[in-house]
Amino acid sequence: MRVRITGMAPLSRGDARKLRRSVERMAARLLPGADAELGVALLDEDAVRRLNAEFRGLDEPTDVLAVPMMSARKAGSGTSRKGEPLGDIAICVPVAA
């Protein structure tokens, strides 16, 4: 499982590495053998408010949004294409902190 960390929230290289490794370990336990990519975006309240309005119809920030692009069943089944996107997780750093 490959994890891509993006976003506007400042993270040191060390913290970004720790976050990526933690997410990779969690994904490996939940979806053993999955060869997919997971995106993690660290965002501010305005960005998450816009995403929440778009995907859930709620014009307010929230702590975490998850947007699947593939089912967990498919990801763990070995039938997905190599590196296929599993989905994205948006974390609103000020709200989740």
Side-chain angles (χ1 to χ4, degrees):
M1 175 79 61
R2 282 171 299 293
V3 176
R4 176 181 32 86
I5 309 286
T6 61
M8 297 178 284
L11 271 186
S12 70
R13 287 182 68 143
D15 286 344
R17 191 176 312 115
K18 286 178 193 176
L19 176 60
R20 184 175 16 269
R21 286 181 183 158
S22 293
V23 173
E24 287 171 348
R25 282 193 303 271
M26 177 198 61
R29 282 193 300 265
L30 294 173
L31 300 167
D35 187 11
E37 182 177 295
L38 177 65
V40 178
L42 304 174
L43 303 172
D44 63 17
E45 289 183 45
D46 288 335
V48 173
R49 176 183 286 119
R50 287 191 300 273
L51 290 172
N52 205 19
E54 179 180 341
F55 288 102
R56 298 179 60 218
L58 299 172
D59 189 21
E60 61 191 55
T62 188
D63 54 353
V64 177
L65 285 172
V67 181
M69 294 179 186
M70 164 191 341
S71 72
R73 183 179 312 202
K74 181 179 178 184
S77 70
T79 61
S80 62
R81 293 187 314 265
K82 184 174 182 170
E84 188 173 358
L86 178 61
D88 291 307
I89 299 170
I91 301 171
C92 182
V93 175
V95 175

